[in-house]
Structure formats: C-alpha cells, structure tokens
Amino acid sequence: MGTARALDSDVESFLAAPLRRMLVDGRWVEAASGRTFETVNPATGEALARVAEGDAEDIDRAVRAARRAFDDGEWPRMAPRDRERILARVVELIERHAAALAQLETLDNGKAIAESASVDIPAAADTFRYYAGWVNKMSGETLPSAPDFFTFTLREPVGVCGQIIPWNFPLLMAAWKLAPALACGNTVVLKPAEQTPLSALRLGELLLEAGVPRGVVNIVPGFGPTAGAALVRHPLVDKVAFTGSTEVGKEIHRASADTLKRISLELGGKSPNIVFADADIDSAVRGALMGVFFNQGEVCCAGTRLLVESSLHDRFAEALAAAARGMKQGPGLDPETQIGPLVSAEQLERVTGYLELGLREGATPLAGGGRNLAAGLERGYFVQPTVFTGVRNDMRIAREEIFGPVVAVMPFRDEEDAVLQGNDTTYGLAAGVWTRDVSRAHRIARALRAGTVWVNCYNVFDVSAPFGGYKESGYGRELGRQCLDLYTQTKSVWLRV
C-alpha cells in the first residue's frame, strides 16, 4: 500500500473546528435547534467533523435571506461585468485551494485522490469559469410586430432557487448547480448531502471571499426528510433543482405541486454499454472498466449493463474480470488507489445486498462478489469490483440501480437485439457504443433513448455539453447553454410607439 499524502494545513484547520456551521444570510450560524451530526471518513468509519444539522426553521431563515437578496439586493441588478468578475474570482480561489479541496473531498466521500485532484476540482473550476463567461451573453430579442408597436423579450432570473445535491461528486455537483444559477442573477439555498457536506461548506467560504453578497448563497446541511422536504415545499422558493435517486425525485415532483414550482431533476440510471464484435477490444475493455468502476461505481450514468455481442461475450467478460481483479483498492488518500470505499455504511449494506441478490438470481461473479476485508480495509466501506455473468435483462441486478462497483455482462445477437435490450429499462440517462462501423454508430446512437450517448468512449464530460435524462432519469439539462433555460424566464414587452 502506498504512503498517503500529508494533509494540507488548510484541511487540518478546517477539520479542527469543533463545529462546521451553516451559511445563512452571509453569516456562519448554528442550527436553530442546536442539533449537530457527524460526517464520517468512509475509509475508516471514523468521524471527520461535526456539522450543524439544519431543519425546517433553518431552511425558512435561509429562504427568507435569499428572498430579500433577490427582491431588494444588488445581485440580480448588478452590472453583468461585475457579476462576471465575482464568478471569475471564485474560479481563482478554487484553483488556488485545489489541493486542499481534493483532500477534503476524498476524506469525506472516499474517492481516490487521483480522481478528486484530476477530475472533481478542475471540473468545478471549469464550471464556474464557463458560466462566468455567459453572464454578459444572455439576451432577449426584438420581434416582428405591427408598426405601431415595438416588441421585445427580456431574459430574467427565476428568483430563489432551492438546490439539493448528492454525495457522489459533492463539490462538482455544487458547482453544476450554483454556477449557472448565480450567472443568471438568481439567489440560492443549497442543501448538500448529509453524507458529504464539507466541500460545499468550504466552497461557501470561498464564495464569500470572492465577494458574493450576503444572502445570495445560503448553505444548509441537513437530512432529506427535514431540511430537503422543507426546501421543496417552501412557498418563497421559485425553483427546485435536484440531483439524486429517482425515488426521491418522484417525491419532489409530487411535493412541488401545491406551489407549482419550476423543477429540474437529474435522477438515476442503469445505462447500457454496448460492445460490438468489430470494436477495438482493448479500448472497449478499458472503457467498460472506466464506465462502471470510476468513482467506485457511484455514478448515475455508470455503464452497469454491459451488452456484448454473443461471439465476443465470453472473451470480453474474462478480460474485463482480469482487469477488475487487478485494480488497486484502498483508502482514497493513498496515491496508488484506483478504487476507494463506498460513501457510507448504508451504501455498503445496499451494494452487498445486491451482490447477495445476484447470487440468488443465478448470476456468476467472474471477479469480486463481496466486501473487501483485506488487512487495513476491514474498518472501511470497501466492496470488491465485481463482474457478473449469467445475467438476464429481467434480473433485478440488471434492472435496478445498485450505485456501486458492480457490472452485469449480458450477450446480444445483432443490432436490433442490442437496441431492444439497451432500451429495455425505465431509465434513460446515458449509453455507450463500441464499434468501428461509423454508420452503425450513428444508427445505434439515434435509436437509444438516452440523454447522452458515448461512442468509443465512456464518462467523457465537458461543461459545454448538456447532460440529463430521458424517461425516469429525469428532465431538464444541466451544463451547456441549455442549462440557462432552467434558471431564467422570458418576459415579452409590448411598447406602443
């Protein structure tokens, strides 16, 4: 096992605080109830920090602060160049503190430091950079009308945005939510996941340092049934954005009906990754490995249904299993770690339950199949990277989102069968296609009902490319210019001349 890097002094100082408070109206405050909770290091099961536990009263304070900041404050009325300058300053601060943010993310979530440092933190900075560039480019248009009228449209911010983010990419998901909302002139109440609140709270410090006015961003850690539910139902919230499970997304959809809030949902997935026999096999094995084991498989668009053409199925499954067995598993701060622990004891129980279910359903584990209890890992939430064969598309391990390092390898006969099985799911977030046949790639990409289709690659992202789902994977698109539609509304103005 490699030697873990020494903790950055900023991280040590951040974790040494007896309590990490919530951000409300520009001040760091304790919960109104005084309640707190622990956030845990998944590699050891030990507490990292104690955090203020927000509930309905704290949400109400935060929403009212955001309401005042929107209705009476400077942020929505600020000159675009000034709002752009503040968001650009956020980018500078994220990049200045990148090493510390990566360590904090790895400690709280468990992911490999190589991933935190090379993916999560740079991508968070890029997201703020991209939307800072949009601040002075959002515009309305003049419209043809009768000669005695001048008709035009204005693009205006929605108002107070309630944002609820998941625990798998804590800082990056905060950036995906906050950056476009702020660029459009909205104010925000952000609820980070209770499993991983630390990097969002640290980002709150950086936002204040960058000059974001008080009340514009409020960050309330807490639990879904209390803080999250209160945020969704609050009558002064104009829009809710949620990333998380389909089950919770449906609850939010129902709960928002009374106030007809604008809602955007980026939900679960059970993505097909389709490998044809003419593919570059080595590249496809590496892509499949990345597609399912990146971030311990705790990825909503993970390619967990690996569909392989029948003539290639056995050879491909063996190659993938061999690669999975060779992955270095360990604590995230170990620079040699390729796959870290799951985020929590609850998630460990969920994933190992699916491993047991797969065996009962008749699947065969070519690699992994259980918890990793190797010396030094037994206290953490480690699950072996697992490759199942003998899986049918009607088995629960092929239909339900496991959200762990588990892949089901299944054969298909031809293009028609690949598309049929690929679309045979309630989800539609992403898909992959591996083939050297360009025409086939186009046909399959068009036929798959998914918001993102990767061809001869997997898990490739750029902030300019929209991301979101079909079917029960949600609606609305994050990233790209399309995301601006979630955080603006159009006003038509008729002026008699």
Side-chain angles (χ1 to χ4, degrees):
M1 189 172 293
T3 303
R5 302 173 185 174
L7 285 184
D8 188 285
S9 59
D10 283 355
V11 177
E12 290 183 331
S13 175
F14 188 86
L15 296 177
L19 178 66
R20 300 311 319 182
R21 294 173 171 83
M22 63 184 68
L23 178 60
V24 177
D25 202 15
R27 295 187 295 270
W28 294 99
V29 299
E30 296 184 13
S33 67
R35 286 196 296 270
T36 65
F37 66 97
E38 287 183 339
T39 184
V40 172
N41 181 347
T44 65
E46 298 173 350
L48 274 173
R50 185 160 288 280
V51 180
E53 181 186 336
D55 59 19
E57 185 174 350
D58 303 292
I59 290 292
D60 182 64
R61 289 190 297 167
V63 170
R64 292 183 184 280
R67 186 83 261 167
R68 289 191 297 271
F70 184 80
D71 291 344
D72 305 319
E74 59 182 310
W75 188 252
R77 299 159 188 84
M78 188 177 287
R81 65 178 179 275
D82 295 330
R83 198 157 67 237
E84 178 186 3
R85 188 178 298 118
I86 290 173
L87 293 180
R89 176 68 172 150
V90 175
V91 178
E92 294 175 9
L93 291 170
I94 291 174
E95 292 182 334
R96 179 188 302 173
H97 297 282
L101 287 168
Q103 288 186 349
L104 193 62
E105 199 78 320
T106 287
L107 285 169
D108 210 15
N109 169 273
K111 65 179 64 194
I113 189 68
E115 292 179 6
S116 295
S118 65
V119 177
D120 296 54
I121 310 309
D126 285 346
T127 303
F128 275 99
R129 181 181 291 110
Y130 177 82
Y131 286 107
W134 268 109
V135 171
N136 62 4
K137 299 175 183 66
M138 288 179 280
S139 60
E141 57 184 345
T142 58
L143 305 173
S145 60
D148 52 341
F149 289 96
F150 177 61
T151 310
F152 60 97
T153 63
L154 298 173
R155 186 169 234 185
E156 298 182 339
V158 171
V160 175
C161 300
Q163 301 182 323
I164 302 173
I165 58 173
W167 44 256
N168 55 341
F169 295 91
L171 185 70
L172 183 55
M173 292 298 98
W176 278 26
K177 293 288 189 289
L178 288 169
L182 295 177
C184 294
N186 298 284
T187 59
V188 176
V189 178
L190 177 75
K191 193 202 86 67
E194 60 268 24
Q195 297 89 344
T196 55
L198 297 182
S199 59
L201 295 173
R202 179 68 180 116
L203 178 61
E205 294 178 343
L206 300 183
L207 290 168
L208 294 180
E209 185 178 346
V212 174
R214 61 179 292 182
V216 170
V217 175
N218 306 270
I219 302 175
V220 182
F223 294 82
T226 50
L231 184 57
V232 171
R233 292 189 174 93
H234 202 292
L236 298 182
V237 172
D238 300 296
K239 186 258 184 313
V240 170
F242 170 76
T243 297
S245 72
T246 294
E247 292 74 16
V248 175
K250 291 177 180 179
E251 291 180 15
I252 289 173
H253 186 87
R254 288 188 288 266
S256 66
D258 288 344
T259 52
L260 291 179
K261 289 178 174 58
R262 295 179 63 172
I263 302 289
S264 56
L265 301 171
E266 197 268 275
L267 306 177
K270 194 71 178 178
S271 300
N273 195 7
I274 301 170
V275 182
F276 286 91
D278 71 337
D280 180 324
I281 304 306
D282 291 340
S283 294
V285 169
R286 290 193 298 271
L289 200 74
M290 169 64 71
V292 72
F293 298 130
F294 175 67
N295 201 52
Q296 299 78 244
E298 296 172 325
V299 182
C300 53
C301 56
T304 51
R305 290 190 302 139
L306 185 59
L307 302 172
V308 184
E309 194 164 358
S310 298
S311 61
L312 178 64
H313 175 274
D314 292 352
R315 180 160 61 97
F316 194 92
E318 290 288 353
L320 182 67
R325 287 191 293 267
M327 295 186 76
K328 173 66 181 299
Q329 190 164 31
L333 287 183
D334 183 341
E336 296 179 4
T337 289
Q338 295 173 289
I339 182 167
L342 299 178
V343 72
S344 66
E346 179 184 12
Q347 191 64 12
L348 174 67
E349 181 179 0
R350 172 184 173 86
V351 173
T352 53
Y354 273 107
L355 295 178
E356 294 167 3
L357 175 63
L359 295 174
R360 291 199 303 272
E361 288 184 311
T364 301
L366 289 188
R371 184 174 178 180
N372 191 336
L373 295 172
L377 305 184
E378 65 278 359
R379 292 184 303 154
Y381 311 136
F382 294 91
V383 168
Q384 298 166 333
T386 298
V387 177
F388 274 126
T389 58
V391 181
R392 300 185 314 274
N393 206 34
D394 61 351
M395 290 181 177
R396 286 180 60 190
I397 61 168
R399 303 201 67 79
E400 299 177 14
E401 187 175 36
I402 298 173
F403 227 63
V406 184
V407 62
V409 187
M410 297 177 286
F412 68 85
R413 294 185 305 275
D414 51 26
E415 279 189 36
E416 182 180 3
D417 188 35
V419 171
L420 181 66
Q421 291 194 62
N423 285 335
D424 184 16
T425 173
T426 58
Y427 297 107
L429 189 55
V433 181
W434 298 83
T435 179
R436 287 189 172 97
D437 186 329
V438 175
S439 295
R440 171 186 282 160
H442 279 283
R443 288 193 300 270
I444 301 296
R446 292 186 181 203
L448 290 171
R449 299 200 64 211
T452 296
V453 179
W454 289 291
V455 178
N456 295 330
C457 58
Y458 207 94
N459 275 339
V460 180
F461 291 89
D462 188 272
V463 66
S464 65
F467 182 79
Y470 285 31
K471 299 188 282 187
E472 291 190 17
S473 288
Y475 49 79
R477 291 295 180 267
E478 307 221 62
L479 304 182
R481 65 177 177 79
Q482 289 80 359
C483 186
L484 302 174
D485 295 335
L486 303 180
Y487 293 103
T488 56
Q489 50 194 353
T490 301
K491 176 183 289 181
S492 296
V493 180
W494 292 75
L495 175 66
R496 185 181 291 278
V497 295

